[in-house]
Amino acid sequence: MTDIPGIVITGGSGKMGQMLIKNVLASDKCRLVGVLERDGNAWIGQDAGVMLGGQPVGVNVTDDAVEVFAKAQAVIDFTSPAATVGFAGLAAQARAVHVIGTTGLSDDDLKAIHAASRHAAIVRAGNMSLGVNLLVQLTKKVAAALDEDFDIEIIEAHHGQKVDAPSGTALMLGEAAADGRGVKFKDVLDSGRDGITGARKRGDIGLSAIRGGDIVGEHDVMFAAPGERIVLRHVATDRAIFARGALKAALWGQDQAPGEYDMMDVLGL
């Protein structure tokens, strides 16, 4: 037995899954106890290390979430909304910390995750990087300092294979800007403009999504007024920043009571 937390990675064959496995294997603060994939995936039954192109690590990829979650102290999950909701219930039953980087979650999904958080710690964030979470805080402060003479526009860019839009990070930034102004984001959100839209409504928060190539993630928050603009920007060039943040969250969660947390909590912001 060991006191080092055991980590399960869901969606191990994906880009983020592979990055997460590598980070866990490279860490001396945790150990890999399971890798999960969907039924029928080519990785099922294979050693995770071998599938990454390296040496065997003694952990075979499986589609049995119940079995691997029972071994885990934390589950790191960058998959799909439907899968994440199911994992939340199973992680709660295992009393394992559930770190959620999945985006595109609906209100019903969030309600199910909230229910699971009564039994285990859940850390959920649209983006796990330190830089982005600092950007969120800056966005809130700048929005609070400027009045509605400054239009707020959020522009995000990601690779062409990303399946949801806008990004979870863009929504985090929009929420932060709305919080800074003391309004509800859903009441001022202006996205998906097309055709004859009319003039921009004062106080709205615009949101645009760009998809193409291999862009890891770029987010701009523009405060635009007549005669001047302020632009806050974060550019991600390596997915490892998200994996490192997720691993930090999994380790931080070991000392937390059941409940819902985010990266602001993890980073003490």
Side-chain angles (χ1 to χ4, degrees):
M1 295 297 290
T2 177
D3 292 331
I4 298 177
I7 309 287
V8 168
I9 304 301
T10 66
S13 70
K15 291 179 180 178
M16 268 307 303
Q18 293 186 43
M19 185 67 69
L20 288 161
I21 294 170
K22 291 175 182 177
N23 272 259
V24 172
L25 291 173
S27 174
D28 61 359
K29 297 179 180 178
C30 60
R31 56 200 170 90
L32 185 69
V33 296
V35 176
L36 199 64
E37 259 302 347
R38 292 176 293 181
D39 180 33
N41 186 281
W43 282 40
I44 299 294
Q46 303 299 313
D47 185 278
V50 173
M51 297 308 289
L52 289 174
Q55 296 299 312
V57 295
V59 176
N60 287 345
V61 182
T62 180
D63 59 2
D64 190 339
V66 174
E67 179 185 2
V68 292
F69 283 19
K71 306 174 186 176
Q73 282 71 56
V75 175
I76 302 180
D77 175 20
F78 286 70
T79 53
S80 67
T84 291
V85 168
F87 294 150
L90 294 175
Q93 290 176 25
R95 302 299 188 264
V97 176
H98 189 189
V99 178
I100 299 174
T102 303
T103 57
L105 296 162
S106 69
D107 288 344
D108 286 342
D109 295 334
L110 295 176
K111 288 177 183 177
I113 290 169
H114 176 70
S117 73
R118 299 190 187 107
H119 306 287
I122 294 178
V123 182
R124 183 179 65 84
N127 193 300
M128 301 261 172
S129 86
L130 172 59
V132 160
N133 282 278
L134 289 172
L135 177 61
V136 169
Q137 288 294 85
L138 289 170
T139 297
K140 183 176 180 177
K141 289 183 179 297
V142 174
L146 302 176
D147 62 23
E148 292 183 352
D149 286 341
F150 282 81
D151 298 324
I152 302 176
E153 290 286 325
I154 299 167
I155 306 99
E156 59 100 340
H158 284 86
H159 56 87
Q161 301 305 306
K162 186 170 175 60
V163 298
D164 61 310
S167 70
T169 304
L171 295 174
M172 285 172 61
L173 293 166
E175 291 282 1
D179 285 348
R181 286 192 166 169
V183 296
K184 292 183 178 179
F185 183 41
K186 66 179 181 180
D187 294 337
V188 296
L189 173 61
D190 181 12
S191 66
R193 299 185 187 115
D194 186 36
I196 307 301
T197 62
R200 191 186 196 284
K201 183 180 176 182
R202 180 180 169 87
D204 276 359
I205 297 174
L207 206 160
S208 303
I210 297 167
R211 295 289 177 267
D214 61 355
I215 302 170
V216 174
E218 299 179 5
H219 293 86
D220 290 343
V221 184
M222 179 188 298
F223 298 84
E228 62 181 330
R229 282 177 291 171
I230 300 167
V231 180
L232 306 177
R233 182 167 222 224
H234 180 271
V235 177
T237 58
D238 189 341
R239 286 184 180 82
I241 64 172
F242 310 128
R244 289 195 296 266
L247 185 53
K248 183 179 181 72
L251 296 174
W252 176 87
Q254 299 302 307
D255 298 322
Q256 308 309 313
E260 289 186 271
Y261 304 92
D262 59 22
M263 284 303 289
M264 300 297 183
D265 298 310
V266 175
L267 299 171
L269 298 175

